[in-house]
Every structure is written in structure tokens, then in C-alpha cells.
Amino acid sequence: MTTGKPFQVVELPEHKPQDDGVLFPVVLLPNTDSTTIQLTAFEDAIRDHKPWLESLLLKSGAILFRGFPVISPSDFNSVVKAFGFPELSYAGGAAPRTQVVDRVYTANESPLDKEIPFHHEMAYLPNPPTKLFFFCEEEPRIGGETPIVLSHIIYEKMKDKHPDFVAKMEEHGLTYMKIAGDDDDPSSYTGSSWKSAYKTDDKNIAEERAAKQGIKLEWRGNGAKMISSPLPAIGVEESGQKTWFNSLIVTYNGPATDKIGNRNTSVELGNGEPVDDNVVKDLLKIMEEECVAIPWKKGDVLLINNLTVLHSRRPLIKPPRRILASLCK
Ligand code: FE2
């Protein structure tokens, strides 16, 4: 155990050894008795130790704050604001979300018994958030974890396993497609309508807003097909390390929209070639092997570097579960 006032770093049974010896995620508890620490003291601690916290986030990829008095959505909003990162609007986002207070939104309103595969938040858009906050307002009884995995490990393992396909991804990028209805479909984790995604009922305005993100809208009977320009599928960290920065698995395995299993999202290589089923199978296996899933505790705040870490959602087995989110530029 090491200390960094007013926080203490702790190791949990779910942690896995990392090559560089850095905990993933770093778990920080209050250094004082958590029954006496006030929310304002936590906010002050964040402001006073921001460079240290940012260096931890850069080294580890994720920080879990546990045992701090964060109870309500507005408490969480204050914690987010204490970090002072600029807010990112959810324009063009695929998930059904509702604003709860100021910078705080529901994480994803699709049915909690369904899994959401690994993704970097909004990697299907040109300007995704750099950081994400999650907050556990209601702790799941069983299941409903938010597993995280280091993206550079996925890149390295996939490059070993499928060097040709990964080379094509690097060369051509990926093109994402989604069928967006006129109305939100809360049964699907990518169920936001074109009206919600572009915050307008006007098709011309929606087209203009989509075009700014490199997305073409093809109008259909009851909605639009959104087609992205090819986007880079591999990211590069400041260190030069490459990452699996894309939305391949979450769009390839998108939710079914009808009884015969048509999917409401799809993905192909930027040159129009299809994604190989075996690539997807191996990718799912590697992600599951490498991820860390720490069960949520009420009041947890998880800060994720969205550029270096992928996250997912495991099915909830025993309710309740309420996780809120906030996205930063
Ligand atoms: Fe997400």
C-alpha cells in the first residue's frame, strides 16, 4: 500500500498483474475515516492534487474513487466540476441517454439484462471524449459490472493473431453504419433516434450537423441510415504505443432490430471489404481474457482515459443498478 495524501492507493482481489507494475485501475480511498470526510473536502482534494491525479490517469488508464461521500447526482456533478475538464456535448451519440443534472447523464438506458460489448466512447465519431466519468448511484446486487481493458494490449494481441487484417484496418480505417429511427428505441443500446442524435426535428439541420461529423444521412420510411466516412481504426498514444481505438466490436455485434436478427449497426473496412467473423471471435475472447471487472459499490466514481481504455457493460443479474456518466473533451 502506498499513500498520496489525502488519498490512499489500495489493491483489490480483482486486479491483475500488469507488465509495468502499475495498478489498473488505480483504486483510491480516503486517507481519513470515510464517515467523517465531507464532499467539499473531496472536491478540495481533487483540486489540490489534480496534477498527481492526472499523472496517475495517464500511467494507469483509469482511477476508481471509492469510499468518498458522493451520494446524489448533484454530488457527482460537483466532483466532475472539481476536475475542471471541459464538457463534451453528446451530439451524434448512439446511446439513449437523459440529462439528470447539469453535466450528468444516464449512462445508457437500454435494458440492463443485456450486455454492451467493449468500446471506446464515441469512437465512431471524429471527436470522441478524451475522458469519461461514471458514478454508481445504485449498486447492483449481482452482475452489471463495467469491465475495462487496456487498448494497447488488445492492439498487440490482435496484431499477433491477425496481422493482415490489422494492417488493412491501419491502412483503410473503418466505416460505421447505423439505422436511426424517428423516435428513440430504449430497448437498444444504440437506439438513439436521428432527432435525439442531432437535437432537431428538421431533416436539413440534421443533415448539416451530421455532415460536420463526416456522416451522411440516407432517409428511409421511418428514419435514416447514418453512414460515416472511413475513420482511423488504430490510435496512437503520446508514447507512440498503438491502441485498438475503434468501435468494431460494438457495431459488428450491434443489437438486433427485428425477430429475424437484422442488426441496427454494421461496420466494414474503409475500402468496403467485410470484417472477418474469425477476427471478431478472437477479439471477443482476448478482450474477455484481458479485462478487469470490479463490482460497483454505491458512491464509486470511475474516471477513464477514453483514448487508452475500452469499457463494456455486463448483464445485470439482480437489480437495481443506476450508473450515471459525464463526458469530457
Ligand atoms: Fe460506453
Side-chain angles (χ1 to χ4, degrees), residues 13-266:
E14 292 84 6
H15 275 119
K16 292 177 181 170
Q18 302 290 337
D19 287 346
D20 55 8
V22 178
L23 284 180
F24 174 70
V26 173
V27 180
L28 296 181
L29 267 52
N31 229 348
T32 50
D33 179 354
S34 60
T35 56
T36 61
I37 187 169
Q38 303 285 318
L39 180 65
T40 49
F42 181 31
E43 290 168 48
D44 288 343
I46 291 166
R47 286 189 205 98
D48 294 347
H49 296 82
K50 197 178 159 196
W52 179 70
L53 293 169
E54 283 195 280
S55 73
L56 278 186
L57 183 64
L58 201 62
K59 259 191 272 177
S60 166
I63 304 176
L64 174 63
F65 297 91
R66 175 162 283 180
F68 294 92
V70 190
I71 296 159
S72 67
S74 67
D75 292 349
F76 174 46
N77 190 52
S78 305
V79 170
V80 169
K81 284 175 127 172
F83 277 90
F85 303 131
E87 183 179 10
L88 181 102
S89 97
Y90 197 56
R97 288 178 196 266
T98 310
Q99 187 177 24
V100 179
V101 55
D102 192 17
R103 293 183 61 165
V104 174
Y105 289 76
T106 54
N108 189 313
E109 289 170 21
S110 63
L112 293 169
D113 58 343
K114 304 266 178 351
E115 184 184 9
I116 300 179
F118 276 102
H119 57 285
H120 287 280
E121 201 64 32
M122 297 161 82
Y124 51 84
L125 292 175
N127 294 304
T130 64
K131 298 173 195 74
L132 313 174
F133 287 94
F134 289 112
F135 163 57
C136 176
E137 190 184 5
E138 279 187 302
E139 173 181 321
R141 295 252 183 90
I142 305 173
E145 298 92 344
T146 300
I148 51 177
V149 68
L150 286 161
S151 195
H152 73 267
I153 294 178
I154 305 302
Y155 170 80
E156 293 299 336
K157 300 225 163 201
M158 285 302 288
K159 202 175 119 200
D160 285 350
K161 194 105 189 156
H162 293 281
D164 296 343
F165 188 80
V166 173
K168 281 186 191 174
M169 284 175 66
E170 294 205 53
E171 187 183 347
H172 302 294
L174 290 169
T175 300
Y176 303 104
M177 281 145 287
K178 182 189 135 163
I179 310 290
D182 287 333
D183 299 303
D184 283 345
D185 173 7
S187 73
S188 158
Y189 59 77
T190 54
S192 70
S193 66
W194 63 269
K195 293 177 187 173
S196 294
Y198 299 110
K199 299 183 174 57
T200 180
D201 286 353
D202 184 313
K203 290 185 175 176
N204 292 322
I205 295 173
E207 280 179 19
E208 274 171 35
R209 291 182 181 164
K212 281 190 189 142
Q213 296 180 321
I215 290 172
K216 208 170 76 188
L217 299 183
E218 282 179 10
W219 298 103
R220 302 177 155 218
N222 53 356
K225 184 173 185 184
M226 302 162 71
I227 305 162
S228 79
S229 307
L231 286 167
I234 304 298
V236 187
E237 291 183 25
E238 277 174 35
S239 62
Q241 172 70 60
K242 290 185 178 175
T243 56
W244 190 259
F245 193 84
N246 58 65
S247 293
L248 192 154
I249 208 76
V250 77
T251 45
Y252 184 89
N253 270 351
T257 51
D258 55 32
K259 290 197 174 78
I260 56 166
N262 282 322
R263 305 275 168 179
N264 90 331
T265 59
S266 56

